[in-house]
């Protein structure tokens, strides 16, 4: 028996209905008083009125009503972002709105980046001593670390501007950092493949584009590899070789733990794999005192 596919128009109608239902649910979940809206008569239903959402989003009431009714109004990304903001959508909810509206989800409002770390995270890193540990973002920015990690990499992050605390940037610009990494012949190509893979979901993102431009500005070799090769590689647990000026070669097991399944920061911890590694980390701890 031949399968009968559902008409495209029917799928589009169903998607628009889902969009309307989601908009209505968000609108009815909001407290007008918390948003600073004036009291204006008795409300028959909870949440905001359609005209209030239209006012907050700076769109026409009729247009917004049609959008919520599931009509084919073809909203732009800018207008849908304004609606998402008016409805106090989280980044996940905003992305869902964009998908239902048939818009590129990458243009949805993103979470506000918070550079600080919690006291609990700080205690976690300190508790991991003498194991070198750090918290890194998907773009390889280092946002937190413990003392052992500083001594392993030969840098004091407190002396490095926040915008320079990036694994790739430090490899390209910081001689001490670069000297600590063993098997250096392959490192740059690996970094290029890491960043290419990570950036695939962030094409057009100004922050990621600026990061890439900064790598190009400080390393012609990085830029050349970026344009010459198309290798991609995901970060993974592996045995890493470090070269220390006083301890010599140190083999450590690199371990990652992700705080979210996608686009989340990751905890990086280096574990000893032999007695020499144990003694090396104990020595690094003494230097931190």
């Amino acid at each position: 028996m031949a399968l009968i596919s559902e008409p495209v128009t029917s799928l589009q109608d169903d998607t628009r209905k889902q969009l309307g239902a989601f908009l209505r649910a968000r609108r009815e979940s909001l407290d007008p008083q918390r948003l600073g809206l004036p009291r204006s008569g008795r409300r028959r239903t909870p949440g905001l009125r359609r005209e209030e959402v239209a006012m907050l989003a700076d769109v026409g009431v009729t247009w917004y009503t049609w959008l919520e009714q599931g009509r084919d109004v073809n909203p732009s990304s800018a207008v849908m972002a304004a609606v998402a903001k008016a409805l106090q959508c989280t980044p996940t909810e905003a992305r869902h709105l964009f998908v239902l509206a048939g818009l590129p989800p990458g243009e949805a409002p993103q979470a506000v980046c918070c550079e600080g770390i919690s006291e609990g995270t700080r205690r976690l890193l300190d508790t991991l001593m003498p194991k070198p540990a750090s918290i890194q973002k998907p773009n390889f920015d280092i946002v937190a670390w413990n003392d052992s990690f500083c001594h392993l990499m030969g840098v004091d992050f407190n002396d490095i501007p926040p915008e320079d605390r990036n694994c790739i940037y430090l490899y390209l610009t910081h001689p001490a950092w670069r000297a600590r990494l063993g098997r250096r012949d392959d490192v740059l190509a690996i970094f290029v493949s890491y960043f290419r893979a990570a950036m695939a979901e962030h094409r057009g993102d100004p922050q990621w584009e600026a990061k890439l431009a900064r790598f190009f500005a400080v390393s012609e070799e990085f830029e050349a590899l970026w344009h010459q090769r198309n290798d991609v590689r995901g970060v993974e647990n592996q045995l890493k070789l470090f070269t220390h000026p006083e301890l010599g070669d140190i083999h450590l097991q690199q371990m990652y733990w992700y705080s979210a399944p996608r686009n989340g920061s990751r905890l990086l911890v280096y574990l000893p794999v032999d007695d020499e590694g144990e003694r090396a980390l104990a020595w690094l701890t003494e230097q931190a005192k």
Side-chain angles (χ1 to χ4, degrees), residues 170-189:
L170 287 170
Y171 177 80
L172 297 175
T173 62
H174 201 292
W177 177 285
R178 186 164 55 251
R180 295 298 173 96
L181 298 178
R183 304 188 182 98
R184 289 186 290 276
D185 292 343
D186 299 328
V187 172
L188 184 58

Side-chain angles (χ1 to χ4, degrees), residues 81-103:
V83 171
K85 182 178 179 181
L87 293 173
Q88 305 287 294
C89 289
T90 66
T92 299
E93 291 167 339
R95 181 182 178 87
H96 185 63
L97 277 182
F98 271 58
V99 170
L100 292 178
L103 296 169

